[in-house]
Amino acid sequence: MGQVLDIAPLRSLVAVADCGGFHRAAAVLHMTQSAVSQHVRRIEAVVGGPVVERSGRGVAFTELGHRALGHARSILDAHDAALADLGAAEERVLLIGATEHGADVMLPALTSALGERLPDWRLRFRLDRNVMLADAIEHGLVDLAVMLDGSGLDPAHASGTLALKWVSGRSFAAPAGQPLPVVMFSEPCTLREPTFATLERCGIDYRIAAESADLSGLFAAVRSGLGVALLPMIGRLPDGLCLAEGLPPASRASVFVRGRAGVDADVLDTVERTVHDVLAEQA
């Protein structure tokens, strides 16, 4: 029997090209880096020469590698099309990262809309802090991330914006003649700067009454009357919370969609448009 180009090694080769290296390719394929390396070596054994070589911190494809890569894409397209036609295609999973506070106000509508627009994908979500999501995108641990910038920077290139509103517990009353107690997320958080800037711009003295690393803890602190919080909001407020009165209006937060290296461009565009539409409908 002659030489054979197996599907799994070909898929690893394409992932290395699309993701820019072995580490990210391994994360996207849910494999170890050594397994991806072994796949590439198997292809090199078949084609009779190196297909990738080290280039700085990444990799570069050799002339033979570019030829192998072109054939790999064609073979995989035909292979996947055949499986789809025969009803044997594997379910594709799209892992989407989102900030907790962004997910709390957007996720129900976003999940429904994406389910309609990406019917061939199973959606899975990872909720985390902005800084952790940025790292996950960099290392290919999530396919896409819906990220929130509380400072409202670069709205022209954002998928949309969210209103920032002051919220408090229903029984909260600001202490007369004393600094305003404020509840916020612990560092790092893009909502801290707009909170401070809004209050300082209006000459309102404040103190940090409580900090929380997660949304449930922040809601609990606000609900119990420890202080007010500046949060992105759409629609109905969570139970036990209300809009705080007498506080200055804040800027809007920008929402961005970011994709890992090699993510399907059509899928990224669909998610960006869906986020834009969801925000526009609920503005």
Side-chain angles (χ1 to χ4, degrees), residues 98-262:
T99 59
E100 266 194 312
H101 38 298
D104 185 67
V105 295
M106 288 183 57
L107 211 52
L110 185 60
T111 302
S112 176
L114 286 176
E116 295 176 359
R117 299 183 186 189
L118 295 172
D120 297 330
W121 292 83
R122 178 166 64 86
L123 305 179
R124 192 166 53 137
F125 291 89
R126 168 179 166 179
L127 305 186
D128 216 326
R129 308 289 294 275
N130 254 359
V131 65
M132 299 303 293
L133 292 178
D135 185 70
I137 284 291
E138 172 67 20
H139 292 92
L141 301 178
V142 297
D143 297 309
L144 302 160
V146 182
M147 305 177 70
L148 187 145
D149 179 7
S151 299
L153 299 176
D154 201 18
H157 294 93
S159 297
T161 61
L162 276 170
L164 292 176
K165 299 180 181 180
W166 295 101
V167 298
S168 70
R170 296 192 180 280
S171 61
F172 175 79
Q178 298 181 35
L180 178 71
V182 176
V183 177
M184 56 179 47
F185 286 104
S186 55
E187 289 278 18
C189 177
T190 64
L191 292 173
R192 292 174 70 96
E193 190 279 331
T195 300
F196 299 148
T198 300
L199 295 174
E200 291 169 0
R201 184 178 67 245
C202 298
I204 298 175
D205 291 333
Y206 62 89
R207 63 179 178 86
I208 299 177
E211 295 180 89
S212 176
D214 57 57
L215 188 63
S216 60
L218 185 140
F219 279 164
V222 174
R223 194 175 287 117
S224 65
L226 290 181
V228 299
L230 186 64
L231 295 172
M233 286 293 164
I234 292 178
R236 186 176 67 86
L237 291 170
D239 291 342
L241 300 184
C242 63
L243 293 178
E245 299 180 354
L247 292 175
S251 60
R252 298 179 68 87
S254 299
V255 179
F256 297 88
V257 177
R258 296 287 182 260
R260 62 165 172 78

Side-chain angles (χ1 to χ4, degrees), residues 251-273:
S251 60
R252 298 179 68 87
S254 299
V255 179
F256 297 88
V257 177
R258 296 287 182 260
R260 62 165 172 78
V263 72
D264 187 303
D266 291 335
V267 170
L268 176 59
D269 180 65
T270 297
V271 175
E272 287 181 325
R273 286 187 286 106

